[in-house]
Amino acid sequence: MPEKTNMTTELALLGVLAVLWGASYSFIKVGVETIPPVTFIAGRTLIAGGILLALIRWRGLAMPRDAATWRRFMFQACMNSVVPFTLIAAAERTIDAGLATILNATSPIFTFLLTALITRHEPVTTRKLFGVGAGIAGICLIVGTQALGGLGHQLWAQLAVIAATVSYAGAAIFGRNFRGLDPMVPAAGSMICGAAILIPLSLVFDRPWTLSPSTASILALLGLSVFSTALAFSIFFRLIHTLGSVGTTSQAYLRVPIGVGIGALFLGESLGPTAWLGMAFVVAGVAAMTIPARKPALAR
């Protein structure tokens, strides 16, 4: 019974993570309306890192002091925050939050492809190959129509989200290197390193002291930092150890309807027919790859 209880807890946390990250796209959409992407993400990593560091100290834990671990934190920061956060924030100045949600939900597909090609710690099955095919078909349905219409701003924004998704996939695999650490420690370390990279860039390129962000953008930044980053990444690093890299990214197929629904409800967004069809393929593909297959019953 303990195993069942533990798995129930982990699956519940997976659902919470899907909600937190599903809401993040709407937070970003509102935030980048008046805050440039680099500055917005610098604030996100700084606030989230500060919260996580305070929680770690409150719990009586300590951050590692060896250079090797911090180098891993720095690499994780680039893969899991600096690159993908900034790409998505820049993309959402052009595309809707719901569309970004769909494209970014393909992270399990790229995680599986990377594990199959590099680490090979996840089994390759017919079902997962079907999932890859369906997910890629969904991406092509969404992005392909833009490509046929010429290289416009939306196409580049969509490709930026896909690039961010590949980066997330690499981060999910690399996150396995933090076994033995409390989940909050790598989450805090990667956020702090991300802020260390982004704050100087923000000061040089955006000159944040000259900005006049709206109240809505500031509240979106706070919501994104506290809930969709600090809390979400603590859950993420825990699930990497308990459910595995592909298992953890399975929240993506739950995140799609949640993210699209939040965008429609609060931002008045809507999807075109091709995007709906693409979403269906993406959800089917990710579900096929990540929902555990039933084991055949033993003959009596």
Side-chain angles (χ1 to χ4, degrees):
M1 294 301 292
E3 289 185 6
K4 185 175 181 180
T5 302
N6 290 338
M7 183 54 67
T8 300
T9 300
E10 302 310 309
L11 292 177
L13 287 173
L14 194 69
V16 172
L17 184 61
V19 173
L20 293 174
W21 275 347
S24 69
Y25 302 93
S26 291
F27 282 138
I28 293 170
K29 184 69 177 177
V30 174
V32 296
E33 288 178 354
T34 59
I35 304 175
V38 172
T39 297
F40 185 75
I41 300 306
R44 176 184 185 179
T45 53
L46 179 63
I47 295 169
I51 293 172
L52 289 168
L53 191 58
L55 289 173
I56 285 170
R57 291 182 175 177
W58 176 72
R59 293 177 58 199
L61 301 174
M63 295 296 291
R65 295 187 177 182
D66 60 290
T69 300
W70 279 97
R71 281 195 295 269
R72 292 200 297 271
F73 287 164
M74 183 66 74
F75 185 78
Q76 182 74 11
C78 292
M79 296 288 289
N80 213 34
S81 56
V82 175
V83 172
F85 285 1
T86 306
L87 285 174
I88 292 171
E92 286 202 48
R93 285 195 147 185
T94 304
I95 64 174
D96 287 345
L99 190 56
T101 306
I102 297 170
L103 292 173
N104 199 219
T106 56
S107 55
I109 294 167
F110 292 106
T111 301
F112 171 73
L113 289 173
L114 289 176
T115 57
L117 293 172
I118 301 172
T119 63
R120 300 182 180 179
H121 69 274
E122 300 280 358
V124 176
T125 64
T126 302
R127 184 178 178 183
K128 289 182 178 180
L129 290 174
F130 165 78
V132 170
I136 292 176
I139 294 173
C140 291
L141 281 168
I142 296 169
V143 178
T145 55
Q146 291 293 324
L148 291 173
L151 300 179
H153 291 297
Q154 278 220 343
L155 174 63
W156 290 116
Q158 291 170 3
L159 293 177
V161 176
I162 294 171
T165 303
V166 176
S167 185
Y168 278 137
I173 296 170
F174 188 77
R176 297 169 65 246
N177 292 321
F178 297 114
R179 292 185 184 277
L181 292 177
D182 184 273
M184 277 194 180
V185 171
S190 63
M191 288 297 111
I192 293 168
C193 289
I197 295 170
L198 289 165
I199 289 174
L201 295 176
S202 168
L203 294 174
V204 172
F205 294 107
D206 293 337
R207 297 189 298 167
W209 58 88
T210 66
L211 303 175
S212 299
S214 67
T215 301
S217 289
I218 293 173
L219 291 176
L221 173 60
L222 292 174
L224 179 70
S225 303
V226 175
F227 299 107
S228 297
T229 309
L231 178 58
F233 272 89
S234 296
I235 296 173
F236 170 79
F237 279 103
R238 167 176 171 153
L239 295 178
I240 284 290
H241 299 322
T242 57
L243 298 182
S245 55
V246 173
T248 301
T249 54
S250 67
Q251 46 74 32
Y253 73 87
L254 300 173
R255 192 171 75 218
V256 173
I258 292 170
V260 171
I262 291 173
L265 184 63
F266 294 100
L267 303 180
E269 297 179 350
S270 60
L271 298 177
T274 306
W276 278 110
L277 185 58
M279 184 179 80
F281 272 92
V282 168
V283 172
V286 174
M289 292 176 61
T290 55
I291 297 177
R294 291 185 178 181
K295 294 182 179 179
L298 296 175
R300 295 185 178 179

